[in-house]
Amino acid sequence: MSTLNLPDLGRVHFIGLGGAGMSAVARVMIGQGVSVSGSDSRDSAGLRALEALGAAVFVGQDAANVQGADTVVVSTAIRSDNPELAAARNLGLRVIHRSEALAAAMGTQDTVAVAGTHGKTTTTAMVTVLLREAGLDPSFAIGGDVAALGVNAAFGSGSVFVAEADESDGSFLNYRPRISVITNVEADHLDHYGTEEAVFASFDRFVRLLPADGLLVACADDPGAADVVRRSGAARVCTYGYSENADIRITDTRPVASGSVSMLRFSLDGLDCEQELRLLVPGVHNIRNAAAAFAVGLGLGVDPAQAAAGLAVFSGAARRFEAKGAVRGVRVFDDYAHHPTELVAALEAARTVAGDHRVHVLFQPHLFSRTLAFAEEFAAALERADTATVLDIYASREDPVPGVTSEVIASRVNRPGGYAPDAGQAVRDICRRAAPGDIILTVGAGDVTQYGAHLVQELARTAPALAGDAGVQTGAETDAEPESDAAQPVLRKELRG
């Protein structure tokens, strides 16, 4: 665990400042008056936003960039031969992981740490929006921008700090939360852990970080999370889900436009309660994420109706089924899913939105190791689409593995599309197949997100005008909202006889 205090860090330099995780920590530190600098290999709007807040920003990696820094922050993605990291070590500067920097920035605030193999970003965002709407003004650090917040991180005036706790490299063990959330647990990041058993052992250690009076919030529907709860011995546990034994039980779900309406049943102050939950975002996975956020809200004393009202305005996080635009009835979305379970959830959400129309997916595998480990599972997930096109693997921090290409997935999928070494041609082919009412979904943790805009442009260039068509829409214009009378959650308390 990190025992660093924020004032001890001095001037802090971030290597890879433009990344979602690094920029979030930097924003929180700047909000507390810390002198921050940072670099990235390419310029971005995120870098310029931090510069506007007072950070010294460098485009390009150079040893000279760390001059004047006292502490250098890195992530697992930074290679050991990075010139700035090498210079920091030669100068004897303190080098810490991003999670240690975030732990220092949390200070003495009551921390809500959201962990899980999937759903962390969305759930963390939902908790933050809920608490903000309830007037608590939390500090937060999220691995993606959130439309309802405007940013991915901020230092608030309240006593609560909401943080996405990343398990990918075990760094979530650097936090000391008051409330821990576990959305799900299954094998992933085997390049770090090696075995599924090691993944579960890490979550067991995460739960043991809670103080005696801390609260564990976990999904009752997920076998992995339920196993962690059973082993935890935690004194205070709140489970959620569709399971009959869930403390916050989800029932009566029905779709409404691109979102849903559900009923939450739970006990509060000895009373049996019901609370209607309305969401603007699609998918059963998001209903579970919202139930987790609702549980956190109750744990922090937020009124159930107020908690539901906060969740009702949540419109999504960046790259989580994010609307990219619509042309002549074809809607384009983008999702960060990079594990088979996440891919299934994204495609189920797309199917809900598409209704009787078709779903076309442009998938980019992330990491050679993950592609090798889950090729069959990825292929099975892609069978849920009507057409499935697979781009080359996004290597990220990994070197190529002989014999591992996107073909190991594409060759197992019995859908039109297949392996596409030419991304530009893939975009043109998908647009040719798409018809009014269809959904196109770009999926993956790499640079596949850039093709959302390309798809919208190609659709606009090639699609014939249809009678009554409004032409091109972008972003949130494509999201239909529930009817206005759905905006007011209702709390009903009934004494059990």
Side-chain angles (χ1 to χ4, degrees):
M1 174 196 174
S2 172
T3 57
L4 295 170
N5 295 313
L6 195 61
D8 298 335
L9 300 185
R11 180 183 171 190
V12 181
H13 180 83
F14 292 79
I15 304 178
L17 180 62
M22 296 291 243
S23 64
V25 182
R27 276 184 174 273
V28 173
M29 286 189 172
I30 292 171
Q32 297 180 74
V34 176
S35 177
V36 167
S37 65
S39 65
D40 214 319
S41 57
R42 59 184 179 183
D43 204 353
S44 66
L47 280 184
R48 295 306 152 200
L50 289 169
E51 184 178 46
L53 293 175
V57 170
F58 304 95
V59 177
Q61 309 279 282
D62 191 291
N65 294 341
V66 303
Q67 293 292 333
D70 301 294
T71 300
V72 172
V73 180
V74 298
S75 69
T76 308
I78 303 302
R79 293 178 178 262
S80 59
D81 60 353
N82 180 282
E84 294 183 12
L85 178 56
R89 287 175 172 157
N90 288 337
L91 292 169
L93 303 181
R94 179 192 290 111
V95 178
I96 62 175
H97 188 270
R98 176 186 65 202
S99 61
E100 296 176 282
L102 182 56
M106 290 172 179
T108 60
Q109 290 179 293
D110 290 331
T111 298
V112 178
V114 181
T117 314
H118 326 293
K120 292 184 295 293
T121 297
T122 298
T123 305
T124 309
M126 285 179 166
V127 172
T128 304
V129 170
L130 183 161
L131 297 181
R132 269 202 166 186
E133 291 294 311
L136 272 64
D137 193 24
S139 301
F140 60 94
I142 306 171
D145 287 336
V146 181
L149 300 171
V151 290
N152 64 335
F155 182 71
S157 61
S159 62
V160 177
F161 197 116
V162 186
E164 180 175 343
D166 181 16
E167 87 288 351
S168 65
D169 54 3
S171 60
F172 68 157
L173 301 178
N174 281 321
Y175 309 132
R176 287 298 181 269
R178 176 67 56 180
I179 298 177
S180 293
V181 179
I182 298 180
T183 57
N184 39 59
V185 185
E186 64 176 312
D188 195 12
H189 307 293
L190 298 183
D191 55 322
H192 172 77
Y193 288 104
T195 65
E196 182 179 25
E197 291 74 19
V199 175
F200 275 84
S202 186
F203 276 91
D204 289 340
R205 291 194 293 274
F206 174 70
V207 171
R208 290 197 292 270
L209 298 175
L210 279 169
D213 61 346
L215 174 64
L216 172 59
V217 175
C219 184
D221 298 342
D222 181 72
D227 285 345
V228 170
V229 169
R230 280 192 288 270
R231 293 191 299 268
S232 71
R236 297 178 61 212
V237 177
C238 180
T239 59
Y240 64 90
Y242 287 90
S243 299
E244 290 188 2
N245 63 343
D247 296 312
I248 297 177
R249 187 182 174 202
I250 309 165
T251 64
D252 305 324
T253 294
R254 59 186 174 86
V256 176
S258 295
S260 65
V261 178
S262 301
M263 189 65 71
L264 303 180
R265 293 187 166 90
F266 54 98
S267 178
L268 184 65
D269 298 331
L271 297 176
D272 292 333
C273 305
E274 290 185 345
Q275 173 63 53
E276 187 177 76
L277 174 69
R278 288 185 173 266
L279 298 177
L280 298 174
V281 290
V284 171
H285 64 296
N286 275 325
I287 300 171
R288 291 192 178 99
N289 292 339
F294 185 84
V296 172
L298 295 190
L300 292 171
V302 177
D303 178 80
Q306 196 171 30
L311 291 168
V313 304
F314 178 79
S315 56
R319 301 221 55 209
R320 273 67 180 180
F321 209 79
E322 180 183 7
K324 307 303 290 186
V327 179
R328 298 182 175 88
V330 179
R331 289 169 288 176
V332 180
F333 295 87
D334 178 55
D335 199 275
Y336 191 70
H338 54 283
H339 183 280
T341 301
E342 296 168 349
L343 181 55
V344 167
L347 287 171
E348 287 182 345
R351 184 65 65 191
T352 298
V353 174
D356 295 332
H357 299 279
R358 294 189 301 168
V359 174
H360 310 273
V361 61
L362 180 62
F363 175 60
Q364 182 186 55
H366 183 258
L367 302 179
F368 293 96
S369 59
R370 185 178 283 122
T371 301
L372 181 61
F374 299 115
E376 290 187 10
E377 291 84 352
F378 277 125
L382 289 171
E383 291 285 341
R384 295 169 181 264
D386 294 288
T387 74
T389 304
V390 185
L391 299 177
D392 282 323
I393 297 169
Y394 187 82
S396 185
R397 58 185 178 271
E398 291 188 339
D399 294 322
V401 175
V404 179
T405 72
S406 292
E407 282 279 20
V408 302
I409 296 174
S411 62
R412 291 176 162 92
V413 182
N414 186 29
R415 289 287 185 272
Y419 168 55
D422 184 336
Q425 186 60 50
V427 166
R428 291 188 289 274
D429 290 344
I430 291 171
C431 291
R432 189 184 69 250
R433 297 187 189 105
D438 288 359
I439 295 292
I440 302 176
L441 183 64
T442 59
V443 186
D447 59 7
V448 66
T449 184
Q450 67 181 303
Y451 295 110
H454 296 172
L455 285 159
V456 172
Q457 293 167 3
E458 181 66 13
L459 286 167
R461 187 183 72 82
T462 61
L466 300 177
D469 177 47
V472 180
Q473 295 175 302
T474 60
E477 297 172 14
T478 66
D479 283 341
E481 295 187 359
E483 298 296 329
S484 58
D485 63 357
Q488 300 299 323
V490 178
L491 174 67
R492 298 196 302 273
K493 294 189 176 182
E494 300 172 351
L495 208 54
R496 182 174 291 170

